[in-house]
Amino acid sequence: MAKSNKSWLHRQEKDPYAKQARASHYRSRAAYKLSEIDKKDKLFRNVQTVVDVGASPGSWSQYASEQLGPQGKIVAVDILPMEPVDKVLFIEGDFTEDEVVQACMSGLNGARADLVLSDIAPNLSGVRSSDQARSMYLAELVLSFSDEVLSPGGDILVKLFQGEGTDQFKKELANRFQKVMVRKPQASRDSSREFYVLARGYQV
Ligand SMILES: C[S@@+](CC[C@H](N)C(=O)[O-])C[C@H]1O[C@@H](n2cnc3c(N)ncnc32)[C@H](O)[C@@H]1O
């Protein structure tokens, strides 16, 4: 077995969140990042319609589905397939393609989203500058999509990676939302450059 695979396996075995996920119904340890942020920020209060961008294998959709009432609805999108989740309309496709973004909008069926979640992350090439540019490009796409679908007062939670472009992105959020906050849940590994930005109170 390659050395990097061995160390990944070792880390997974030791990781309490991966252990917890294996023992629970959640498909990925990522669920604990969302639940931690939710416990602090009450993301799902008065929320009926959610969009989950970069949703596969589906633990954020699972968690969101559990927080919504019976009328709740989630539109989830990923380039990879995803097993069904209650209350979720899943669209399989590349979010950088216009027709996929349009399909997400149609999936909302005329409703506005109260909350847009994005855990989308590009496949890493290992070249830090181009990975960073691709990740910021995806974040910008999520933001322009949110401009089209968010209800007034709605919120967005988006994953970013420390590096070029994140300060500018936070400024763009501050121009549109009442409040912009940074979150680094404990379930997000210290060694990872990822963090989340929560912007609340979309102002049209
Ligand atoms: C960290 S994973 C998401 C995990 C998910 N939140 C969960 O809880 O199961 C990031 C996802 O982004 C997706 N992704 C990356 N680029 C994409 C693109 N261009 N269009 C759609 N999905 C994309 C990947 O396929 C991957 O499933």
Side-chain angles (χ1 to χ4, degrees):
M1 191 185 291
K3 200 171 165 195
S4 59
N5 280 350
K6 261 192 196 160
S7 67
W8 183 85
L9 266 181
H10 182 70
R11 218 175 46 197
Q12 281 292 102
E13 276 160 20
K14 292 244 159 209
D15 178 352
Y17 297 103
K19 224 183 218 170
Q20 231 174 305
R22 280 196 300 274
S24 79
H25 62 295
Y26 290 123
R27 297 170 188 174
S28 147
R29 69 189 291 294
Y32 300 106
K33 302 177 194 173
L34 181 61
S35 77
E36 247 184 272
I37 297 171
D38 180 38
K39 290 212 169 80
K40 185 178 173 69
D41 294 296
K42 310 282 178 272
L43 297 176
F44 296 92
R45 197 184 274 160
N46 300 324
V47 165
Q48 186 152 342
T49 307
V50 177
V51 179
D52 183 6
V53 184
S56 185
S59 75
W60 278 30
S61 279
Q62 287 178 297
Y63 181 85
S65 173
E66 289 159 6
Q67 310 313 310
L68 298 180
Q71 303 300 319
K73 177 176 177 174
I74 301 166
V75 173
V77 55
D78 204 290
I79 199 164
L80 296 176
M82 181 169 113
E83 292 293 320
V85 176
D86 188 33
K87 302 178 194 140
V88 174
L89 171 75
F90 178 64
I91 291 155
E92 187 176 329
D94 185 339
F95 196 68
T96 63
E97 289 174 7
D98 234 15
E99 60 268 37
V100 174
V101 173
Q102 290 303 325
C104 294
M105 286 179 191
S106 311
L108 286 167
N109 220 355
R112 297 227 149 231
D114 305 304
L115 175 64
V116 173
L117 302 171
S118 171
D119 199 24
I120 198 167
N123 274 335
L124 298 182
S125 68
V127 179
R128 165 95 58 117
S129 57
S130 66
D131 286 342
Q132 182 65 15
R134 284 161 66 221
S135 139
M136 290 315 306
Y137 175 60
L138 290 172
E140 291 289 353
L141 287 180
V142 172
L143 183 53
S144 26
F145 171 76
S146 302
D147 278 330
E148 300 294 323
V149 302
L150 262 187
S151 58
D155 299 340
I156 173 174
L157 176 70
V158 54
K159 170 151 81 184
L160 299 180
F161 293 88
Q162 291 292 353
E164 204 177 331
T166 56
D167 285 345
Q168 175 58 31
F169 188 76
K170 280 187 253 173
K171 277 188 199 143
E172 287 174 44
L173 290 173
N175 288 336
R176 294 165 164 83
F177 292 83
Q178 280 166 350
K179 241 181 165 185
V180 178
M181 293 157 274
V182 169
R183 297 288 179 252
K184 174 79 178 173
Q186 282 182 7
S188 171
R189 295 185 172 105
D190 287 345
S191 57
S192 164
R193 290 187 299 115
E194 80 173 8
F195 66 100
Y196 294 85
V197 182
L198 172 61
R200 309 203 87 161
Y202 184 69
Q203 297 168 311
V204 191

